[in-house]
Amino acid sequence: MKRIPIHLQIIIGLILGLLFGIVCIQFQWDPSFTINYIKPFGTLFINSLKMIAAPLVLASLIVGVANIGDISRLSRIGGKTISLYLITTVTAVSLGLILVNIIKPGNQLPLETRENLMSLYGSDVESSANVLGELKKQGPLQPLVDIVPENIFDAASDNSNMLQIVFFALIVGVALLQIPKKKGKPVIRFFDGFNDVIIKIVEYIMLLAPYGVFALIASLIVELAGDDPSQAFEILYALLWYSLTILIGLAVMMLVVYPFMFKLFTKVKYVDFFKGIRPAQLLAFSTSSSSATLPVTMRQVEEELGVSEEISSFVLPLGATINMDGTSLYQSVAAVFIAQALGLDLSLGQQLTIILTATLASIGSAGVPGAGVVMLIIVLEAIGVPVAGIALILAPDRILDMCRTVVNITGDAAVTMVVASTEGELPEGLIRKGNPITMMPEEDEDREIK
Ligand code: ASP
């Protein structure tokens, strides 16, 4: 396996996992073998990525902000980053709305399928709605209050609190810029070194990626098929138009919107970018989690695409938390699909509300599997569509989640490239450092610590 490039190794793992899953179903092998002896390796792999996500966000953002050097440069880069994230998200939501209004997938759903789905998934919806019910009891400004953690160690203990870690890291970084250099330097050096340690750990974990991906996909297929595989396929077929609408939207983001943004702002060829980011995309697909993928996204953007650590360690952790183009597109399509299927006509005002709420909901969604569907409830409530309608779309959600997570991390990486280019990096396109993933220590002149 050594000489095969890492993305190919992951693809091989993915295909073998898929084949293994299909063979298991075809020959009706006992699924408990896969669940008990294969799935744990997938969980182990995801856990190791998640294990480093919170420390990585903390260390890299502190270093990122502190290395930017001065407050005016920080506000310029910060302004660009947030504006680009907002523009891409609103573009994604609007694209979703246009597609779902043209294709009208909700009108294609036979009444009988609709009733079946509602009775099959009704109870699942209740549990998601309960989580949100708690949230709704709070005031309208609660999301703002939630950005500031009561206790940073508490926040760091839960990967879905990433926004709180981002907030703390930003403040520490800004404060580091404003204290005397002599005092700030050792702190920055500490986090800088810590950051490199984590990136090294990512390389170790990546050596396991092909096996982890194999285990994840094999167990996913076996679990999806459940007791009655024909039923799973029937539902998928019934929801084909809905799924297709989302997939077309995601493809347009990846093949039209981001390339256009590259043409406008960078000298980098989009194909080169795409090649460099592939391993992260494959992991996003296999893990359905942009937080878990973040360490790899950062590695690829720095090592393969030549963006400075200064920019990537500021733009990417922020993006993994607040920028989810795939999720926001999905939320707009899903909300209108449910309304169409329930025979409700949405006014222009309601569609505009979707743009606003889906943008906010995607900012609030954590980068973990299934977060998008929970936040969809906010969008539905804002436009007055019954939340129970979510039952209609739960069946293909896992697969769509995998696809939208790919777009989520591609959007973050694309914006990072644009910010880097507009800051004068990558003037001639890509300069690859191309450090291969190895277990060898890196040569470094100040490695010797006395
Ligand atoms: N799984 C997505 C992510 O981690 C979030 C979602 O859409 O559910 O980016």
Side-chain angles (χ1 to χ4, degrees), residues 269-285:
K269 284 207 194 96
Y270 190 68
V271 206
D272 290 341
F273 162 74
F274 215 77
K275 278 188 196 150
I277 203 70
R278 262 179 321 202
Q281 289 175 327
L282 288 165
L283 278 195
F285 183 78

Side-chain angles (χ1 to χ4, degrees), residues 288-291 324 327 330 365-373 401 404-405 408:
S288 278
S289 165
S290 30
S291 293
M324 296 196 179
T327 299
Y330 146 82
S365 301
V368 296
V373 80
D401 192 0
R404 63 188 188 241
T405 308
N408 289 347

Side-chain angles (χ1 to χ4, degrees), residues 407-430:
V407 175
N408 289 347
I409 67 107
T410 309
D412 299 341
V415 167
T416 311
M417 297 295 286
V418 171
V419 173
S421 290
T422 55
E423 282 298 307
E425 290 181 11
L426 318 166
E428 306 297 335
L430 288 190

Side-chain angles (χ1 to χ4, degrees), residues 214-255:
F214 168 82
L216 284 173
I217 300 292
S219 52
L220 176 72
I221 301 283
V222 169
E223 278 177 338
L224 273 185
D227 307 326
D228 183 0
S230 63
Q231 193 188 36
F233 285 110
E234 251 169 52
I235 295 177
L236 267 187
Y237 185 71
L239 293 175
L240 198 67
W241 285 107
Y242 159 74
S243 310
L244 268 182
T245 312
I246 293 179
L247 293 178
I248 293 173
L250 296 179
V252 173
M253 287 304 291
M254 299 254 274
L255 303 176

Side-chain angles (χ1 to χ4, degrees), residues 257-446:
V257 178
Y258 300 143
F260 180 68
M261 197 166 82
F262 264 60
K263 265 245 141 32
L264 276 186
F265 298 109
T266 75
K267 288 218 166 66
V268 178
K269 284 207 194 96
Y270 190 68
V271 206
D272 290 341
F273 162 74
F274 215 77
K275 278 188 196 150
I277 203 70
R278 262 179 321 202
Q281 289 175 327
L282 288 165
L283 278 195
F285 183 78
S286 318
T287 61
S288 278
S289 165
S290 30
S291 293
T293 313
L294 175 67
V296 180
T297 319
M298 283 187 77
R299 186 200 177 274
Q300 292 306 113
V301 166
E302 285 172 22
E303 298 294 330
E304 296 279 329
L305 301 171
V307 174
S308 70
E309 194 183 331
E310 186 183 299
I311 302 263
S312 84
S313 56
F314 173 71
V315 184
L316 279 176
L318 207 62
T321 320
I322 65 167
N323 183 53
M324 296 196 179
D325 299 341
T327 299
S328 60
L329 183 139
Y330 146 82
Q331 284 170 338
S332 65
V333 173
V336 179
F337 170 78
I338 292 171
Q340 286 171 349
L342 299 180
L344 305 168
D345 260 338
L346 294 181
S347 65
L348 185 66
Q350 280 169 309
Q351 306 243 8
L352 291 177
T353 310
I354 295 181
I355 298 191
L356 184 72
T357 47
T359 303
L360 293 177
S362 73
I363 293 175
S365 301
V368 296
V373 80
V374 176
M375 298 305 267
L376 175 63
I377 299 178
I378 296 186
V379 183
L380 291 178
E381 294 215 318
I383 53 170
V385 169
V387 170
I390 286 193
L392 297 174
I393 55 146
L394 282 183
D397 203 66
R398 184 68 171 92
I399 296 170
L400 294 174
D401 192 0
M402 295 160 85
C403 302
R404 63 188 188 241
T405 308
V406 174
V407 175
N408 289 347
I409 67 107
T410 309
D412 299 341
V415 167
T416 311
M417 297 295 286
V418 171
V419 173
S421 290
T422 55
E423 282 298 307
E425 290 181 11
L426 318 166
E428 306 297 335
L430 288 190
I431 311 156
R432 292 194 180 192
K433 290 188 209 155
N435 281 348
I437 293 174
T438 61
M439 299 288 278
M440 302 295 287
E442 270 164 34
E443 293 302 326
D444 185 355
E445 65 280 5
D446 60 17

Side-chain angles (χ1 to χ4, degrees), residues 111-166:
L111 187 66
E112 198 190 331
T113 321
R114 208 176 298 171
E115 281 165 2
N116 280 345
L117 288 171
M118 294 292 262
S119 63
L120 258 176
Y121 289 96
S123 54
D124 293 355
V125 176
E126 258 167 47
S127 63
S128 305
N130 282 345
V131 179
L132 231 98
E134 290 297 311
L135 289 178
K136 267 184 51 197
K137 280 189 211 128
Q138 303 159 344
L141 292 187
Q142 192 59 35
L144 197 68
V145 175
D146 284 341
I147 295 178
V148 186
E150 261 179 58
N151 180 317
I152 184 59
F153 297 102
D154 210 17
S157 70
D158 182 352
N159 278 349
S160 58
N161 281 340
M162 219 53 109
L163 206 53
Q164 300 190 335
I165 305 177
V166 167

